[in-house]
């Protein structure tokens, strides 16, 4: 596990929370996957909120010195994926989140709270 991944996850969580993200989940997956240390999943009520969440997350991560490897999705998307290497962020509309149900797919990951991040 990267020593900075917990710090990165906190920054992401705080940015999503600041933009009133819904049901923000942090899944610690470092023991079950080589893809990343954490998955962070959140929902927004509408596209403007989803994109405000994306924009603030990018801004806060950039200020902390972290750059994303890629972003998938665009201004019309209801599912945006942000890849920061050790932390992968999924921001969904409520409907898409229910449909894709990443929490079920990654159920072997450990749910952690912001306070439990290292």
């Amino acid at each position: 596990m990267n020593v900075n991944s917990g710090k990165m996850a906190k920054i992401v969580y705080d940015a999503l929370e600041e933009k009133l993200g819904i049901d923000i989940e942090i899944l610690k997956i470092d023991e079950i996957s080589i893809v990343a240390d954490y998955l962070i999943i959140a929902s927004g009520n509408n596209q403007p909120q989803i994109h405000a969440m994306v924009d603030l997350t990018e801004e806060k991560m950039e200020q902390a010195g972290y750059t994303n490897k890629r972003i998938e999705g665009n201004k019309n998307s209801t599912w945006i994926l942000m890849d920061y290497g050790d932390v992968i962020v999924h921001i969904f509309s409520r409907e898409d989140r229910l449909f894709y149900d990443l929490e079920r797919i990654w159920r072997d990951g450990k749910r952690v709270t912001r306070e439990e991040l290292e």
Side-chain angles (χ1 to χ4, degrees):
M1 179 189 299
N2 180 335
V3 293
N4 289 325
S5 61
K7 179 181 175 190
M8 293 167 68
K10 282 182 186 178
I11 294 167
V12 170
Y13 184 95
D14 291 347
L16 296 173
E17 189 175 59
E18 185 174 330
K19 288 298 177 182
L20 307 177
I22 300 162
D23 296 328
I24 305 168
E25 291 279 346
I26 305 166
L27 298 176
K28 188 171 185 274
I29 61 166
D30 64 321
E31 294 178 9
I32 61 167
S33 175
I34 60 169
V35 173
D37 292 342
Y38 294 99
L39 286 183
I40 301 179
I41 304 168
S43 305
N45 286 313
N46 50 48
Q47 284 181 325
Q49 182 188 13
I50 290 168
H51 294 290
M53 292 163 66
V54 168
D55 291 345
L56 187 62
T57 299
E58 272 190 294
E59 181 183 319
K60 297 289 188 180
M61 289 294 277
E62 206 170 89
Q63 288 172 354
Y66 303 111
T67 55
N68 58 39
K69 297 184 184 315
R70 75 174 186 263
I71 293 182
E72 293 186 15
N74 59 42
K75 292 292 180 194
N76 297 319
S77 298
T78 53
W79 177 6
I80 307 288
L81 179 144
M82 305 173 77
D83 182 354
Y84 286 96
D86 295 319
V87 176
I88 297 176
V89 185
H90 295 274
I91 304 173
F92 288 99
S93 67
R94 289 177 183 225
E95 297 79 20
D96 279 2
R97 184 172 179 175
L98 287 171
F99 180 79
Y100 290 104
D101 198 7
L102 292 186
E103 289 93 337
R104 182 187 56 76
I105 293 169
W106 288 96
R107 69 180 167 266
D108 292 338
K110 180 183 176 201
R111 289 180 192 239
V112 294
T113 64
R114 184 200 181 283
E115 293 71 30
E116 292 175 299
L117 293 170
E118 295 141 17

